[in-house]
Amino acid sequence: MERRAKIYVAGHTGMVGAAIVRRLRAEGCENLLLATRAELDLTDQRAVRDFVMAERPRYIVDSAARVGGIKANMSHPAEFLHENLQIQNNLIWSAKDAGVETFLFLGSSCIYPRACPQPMREEYLMEGKPEPTNEAYAYAKIAGMKLCEYIHTQYGMNFISCMPTNIYGEGDSFDPETSHVIPALLRRIHQAKGAGSPYVTIWGTGSSRREFLHVDDLADAVVWLLRSYKDKQFLNVGTGEDISIRELAEHIRSLVGYEGRLLFDPAQPDGMPRKLLDVTRLHKAGWHHRIGFDEGLKRTYGWYLNNLF
């Protein structure tokens, strides 16, 4: 990957996209294409096509998506499916027509079936129904990954995909309506400490297990994939390690210094019982994560303290 090559990072204002931009700039990449939502509406097919055909980037990284936690996914499944299909279809097909050399699509580990064997290997995709609480998002991501795979096969173009595990880190969304589990727990436990609340109520039983990858590690993996990966088979990107939600909450309570109780509400959904990626293929190909969970969590909480709204 040449430093002067034109690279378009879709979704660069989000946590993942911003980390990818930082990583590319650290590599000395000088010709980055960036467009805010106001400058380019990715749900507008004509606008996206005109932009890609005019700019003709050598590489495109698609980190743009409508995202959210369990509450957001359950409240707006139609929008999650519709908007994500629009965004990815517009970008992928325009890139194909423009002859983009490498297109990298970022999916999500939620594509795997709810009852998937653990750890989840790439070949387990579509061997069962997805978790109902994120079904719409999962179907959209499966469609995007498959479209890249078919373009790779039919047209011989390097349209590749990776399926990251749960991502967290600096720049994450702490919005109570859309946040994922780590920022949600950090915010709520921090606020409970400040208010002197005797307890914090957490959705579910706390028994479900999740794997977490720091966003800077994902950005490093993205740059590695752009340089090295040519296979139509998507790759899992994660750490190969997981933790229960109860353990996570206790970890955050200790980090924040909160002395109140953590109450789990079994009337609320746990989501998928376990989501642990098998990263054997990724490791064999030559990439490993670098940021330990303790370090990543401290960095995330530090960012939150410096950016309280």
Side-chain angles (χ1 to χ4, degrees), residues 78-91:
E79 286 80 5
F80 268 77
L81 180 60
H82 178 63
E83 290 180 25
N84 282 309
L85 285 174
Q86 284 185 306
I87 291 168
Q88 63 202 37
N89 285 347
N90 292 342
L91 285 168

PDB file of all heavy atoms in Angstrom, residues 78-91:
ATOM      1  N   ALA A  78     -36.262  -1.910  11.500  1.00  0.00           N
ATOM      2  CA  ALA A  78     -36.485  -1.561  10.095  1.00  0.00           C
ATOM      3  C   ALA A  78     -35.421  -0.587   9.606  1.00  0.00           C
ATOM      4  O   ALA A  78     -34.850  -0.754   8.515  1.00  0.00           O
ATOM      5  CB  ALA A  78     -37.881  -0.947   9.918  1.00  0.00           C
ATOM      6  N   GLU A  79     -35.142   0.429  10.419  1.00  0.00           N
ATOM      7  CA  GLU A  79     -34.122   1.400  10.040  1.00  0.00           C
ATOM      8  C   GLU A  79     -32.732   0.765   9.997  1.00  0.00           C
ATOM      9  O   GLU A  79     -31.920   1.081   9.121  1.00  0.00           O
ATOM     10  CB  GLU A  79     -34.121   2.585  11.010  1.00  0.00           C
ATOM     11  CG  GLU A  79     -35.291   3.542  10.840  1.00  0.00           C
ATOM     12  CD  GLU A  79     -36.574   3.039  11.497  1.00  0.00           C
ATOM     13  OE1 GLU A  79     -36.523   1.984  12.176  1.00  0.00           O
ATOM     14  OE2 GLU A  79     -37.618   3.681  11.335  1.00  0.00           O
ATOM     15  N   PHE A  80     -32.452  -0.130  10.945  1.00  0.00           N
ATOM     16  CA  PHE A  80     -31.141  -0.778  10.959  1.00  0.00           C
ATOM     17  C   PHE A  80     -30.915  -1.598   9.693  1.00  0.00           C
ATOM     18  O   PHE A  80     -29.817  -1.588   9.124  1.00  0.00           O
ATOM     19  CB  PHE A  80     -30.991  -1.657  12.207  1.00  0.00           C
ATOM     20  CG  PHE A  80     -30.375  -0.944  13.377  1.00  0.00           C
ATOM     21  CD1 PHE A  80     -31.122  -0.063  14.144  1.00  0.00           C
ATOM     22  CD2 PHE A  80     -29.045  -1.132  13.700  1.00  0.00           C
ATOM     23  CE1 PHE A  80     -30.563   0.607  15.214  1.00  0.00           C
ATOM     24  CE2 PHE A  80     -28.466  -0.465  14.774  1.00  0.00           C
ATOM     25  CZ  PHE A  80     -29.229   0.411  15.530  1.00  0.00           C
ATOM     26  N   LEU A  81     -31.932  -2.295   9.234  1.00  0.00           N
ATOM     27  CA  LEU A  81     -31.787  -3.089   8.012  1.00  0.00           C
ATOM     28  C   LEU A  81     -31.750  -2.190   6.781  1.00  0.00           C
ATOM     29  O   LEU A  81     -30.844  -2.294   5.944  1.00  0.00           O
ATOM     30  CB  LEU A  81     -32.935  -4.097   7.909  1.00  0.00           C
ATOM     31  CG  LEU A  81     -32.910  -5.010   6.674  1.00  0.00           C
ATOM     32  CD1 LEU A  81     -31.637  -5.839   6.624  1.00  0.00           C
ATOM     33  CD2 LEU A  81     -34.132  -5.924   6.655  1.00  0.00           C
ATOM     34  N   HIS A  82     -32.713  -1.289   6.671  1.00  0.00           N
ATOM     35  CA  HIS A  82     -32.849  -0.457   5.480  1.00  0.00           C
ATOM     36  C   HIS A  82     -31.633   0.449   5.267  1.00  0.00           C
ATOM     37  O   HIS A  82     -31.040   0.470   4.173  1.00  0.00           O
ATOM     38  CB  HIS A  82     -34.122   0.389   5.603  1.00  0.00           C
ATOM     39  CG  HIS A  82     -34.354   1.324   4.450  1.00  0.00           C
ATOM     40  ND1 HIS A  82     -34.571   0.893   3.170  1.00  0.00           N
ATOM     41  CD2 HIS A  82     -34.386   2.682   4.400  1.00  0.00           C
ATOM     42  CE1 HIS A  82     -34.752   1.922   2.370  1.00  0.00           C
ATOM     43  NE2 HIS A  82     -34.629   3.024   3.093  1.00  0.00           N
ATOM     44  N   GLU A  83     -31.244   1.198   6.281  1.00  0.00           N
ATOM     45  CA  GLU A  83     -30.158   2.159   6.129  1.00  0.00           C
ATOM     46  C   GLU A  83     -28.818   1.475   5.882  1.00  0.00           C
ATOM     47  O   GLU A  83     -28.019   1.930   5.048  1.00  0.00           O
ATOM     48  CB  GLU A  83     -30.081   3.069   7.353  1.00  0.00           C
ATOM     49  CG  GLU A  83     -31.240   4.035   7.443  1.00  0.00           C
ATOM     50  CD  GLU A  83     -31.149   4.945   8.660  1.00  0.00           C
ATOM     51  OE1 GLU A  83     -30.030   5.172   9.161  1.00  0.00           O
ATOM     52  OE2 GLU A  83     -32.204   5.427   9.110  1.00  0.00           O
ATOM     53  N   ASN A  84     -28.563   0.375   6.578  1.00  0.00           N
ATOM     54  CA  ASN A  84     -27.284  -0.299   6.375  1.00  0.00           C
ATOM     55  C   ASN A  84     -27.199  -0.944   4.999  1.00  0.00           C
ATOM     56  O   ASN A  84     -26.136  -0.929   4.364  1.00  0.00           O
ATOM     57  CB  ASN A  84     -27.041  -1.323   7.485  1.00  0.00           C
ATOM     58  CG  ASN A  84     -26.586  -0.654   8.767  1.00  0.00           C
ATOM     59  OD1 ASN A  84     -25.645   0.139   8.772  1.00  0.00           O
ATOM     60  ND2 ASN A  84     -27.253  -0.944   9.871  1.00  0.00           N
ATOM     61  N   LEU A  85     -28.304  -1.491   4.510  1.00  0.00           N
ATOM     62  CA  LEU A  85     -28.303  -2.025   3.150  1.00  0.00           C
ATOM     63  C   LEU A  85     -28.049  -0.911   2.126  1.00  0.00           C
ATOM     64  O   LEU A  85     -27.273  -1.093   1.182  1.00  0.00           O
ATOM     65  CB  LEU A  85     -29.635  -2.709   2.844  1.00  0.00           C
ATOM     66  CG  LEU A  85     -29.869  -4.076   3.486  1.00  0.00           C
ATOM     67  CD1 LEU A  85     -31.299  -4.552   3.204  1.00  0.00           C
ATOM     68  CD2 LEU A  85     -28.865  -5.111   2.990  1.00  0.00           C
ATOM     69  N   GLN A  86     -28.678   0.226   2.324  1.00  0.00           N
ATOM     70  CA  GLN A  86     -28.471   1.349   1.409  1.00  0.00           C
ATOM     71  C   GLN A  86     -27.011   1.788   1.378  1.00  0.00           C
ATOM     72  O   GLN A  86     -26.408   1.935   0.311  1.00  0.00           O
ATOM     73  CB  GLN A  86     -29.344   2.538   1.820  1.00  0.00           C
ATOM     74  CG  GLN A  86     -30.809   2.421   1.468  1.00  0.00           C
ATOM     75  CD  GLN A  86     -31.539   3.715   1.814  1.00  0.00           C
ATOM     76  OE1 GLN A  86     -31.485   4.199   2.932  1.00  0.00           O
ATOM     77  NE2 GLN A  86     -32.203   4.287   0.836  1.00  0.00           N
ATOM     78  N   ILE A  87     -26.455   2.020   2.552  1.00  0.00           N
ATOM     79  CA  ILE A  87     -25.083   2.521   2.653  1.00  0.00           C
ATOM     80  C   ILE A  87     -24.102   1.569   1.982  1.00  0.00           C
ATOM     81  O   ILE A  87     -23.302   1.964   1.114  1.00  0.00           O
ATOM     82  CB  ILE A  87     -24.701   2.743   4.129  1.00  0.00           C
ATOM     83  CG1 ILE A  87     -25.481   3.919   4.710  1.00  0.00           C
ATOM     84  CG2 ILE A  87     -23.192   2.972   4.268  1.00  0.00           C
ATOM     85  CD1 ILE A  87     -25.388   4.024   6.230  1.00  0.00           C
ATOM     86  N   GLN A  88     -24.157   0.304   2.364  1.00  0.00           N
ATOM     87  CA  GLN A  88     -23.161  -0.635   1.843  1.00  0.00           C
ATOM     88  C   GLN A  88     -23.367  -0.947   0.370  1.00  0.00           C
ATOM     89  O   GLN A  88     -22.388  -1.058  -0.392  1.00  0.00           O
ATOM     90  CB  GLN A  88     -23.134  -1.910   2.682  1.00  0.00           C
ATOM     91  CG  GLN A  88     -24.424  -2.710   2.681  1.00  0.00           C
ATOM     92  CD  GLN A  88     -24.559  -3.628   3.880  1.00  0.00           C
ATOM     93  OE1 GLN A  88     -24.157  -3.303   4.996  1.00  0.00           O
ATOM     94  NE2 GLN A  88     -25.130  -4.811   3.660  1.00  0.00           N
ATOM     95  N   ASN A  89     -24.602  -1.083  -0.071  1.00  0.00           N
ATOM     96  CA  ASN A  89     -24.838  -1.349  -1.494  1.00  0.00           C
ATOM     97  C   ASN A  89     -24.332  -0.200  -2.359  1.00  0.00           C
ATOM     98  O   ASN A  89     -23.710  -0.417  -3.411  1.00  0.00           O
ATOM     99  CB  ASN A  89     -26.327  -1.577  -1.759  1.00  0.00           C
ATOM    100  CG  ASN A  89     -26.806  -2.932  -1.286  1.00  0.00           C
ATOM    101  OD1 ASN A  89     -26.008  -3.813  -0.980  1.00  0.00           O
ATOM    102  ND2 ASN A  89     -28.115  -3.105  -1.223  1.00  0.00           N
ATOM    103  N   ASN A  90     -24.602   1.030  -1.932  1.00  0.00           N
ATOM    104  CA  ASN A  90     -24.155   2.198  -2.695  1.00  0.00           C
ATOM    105  C   ASN A  90     -22.633   2.227  -2.803  1.00  0.00           C
ATOM    106  O   ASN A  90     -22.073   2.468  -3.876  1.00  0.00           O
ATOM    107  CB  ASN A  90     -24.655   3.480  -2.043  1.00  0.00           C
ATOM    108  CG  ASN A  90     -26.160   3.643  -2.139  1.00  0.00           C
ATOM    109  OD1 ASN A  90     -26.822   2.992  -2.954  1.00  0.00           O
ATOM    110  ND2 ASN A  90     -26.718   4.512  -1.316  1.00  0.00           N
ATOM    111  N   LEU A  91     -21.962   1.991  -1.694  1.00  0.00           N
ATOM    112  CA  LEU A  91     -20.499   2.045  -1.682  1.00  0.00           C
ATOM    113  C   LEU A  91     -19.881   0.889  -2.463  1.00  0.00           C
ATOM    114  O   LEU A  91     -18.980   1.088  -3.291  1.00  0.00           O
ATOM    115  CB  LEU A  91     -19.991   2.026  -0.238  1.00  0.00           C
ATOM    116  CG  LEU A  91     -20.149   3.316   0.556  1.00  0.00           C
ATOM    117  CD1 LEU A  91     -19.870   3.068   2.035  1.00  0.00           C
ATOM    118  CD2 LEU A  91     -19.200   4.389   0.023  1.00  0.00           C
TER     119      LEU A  91
END
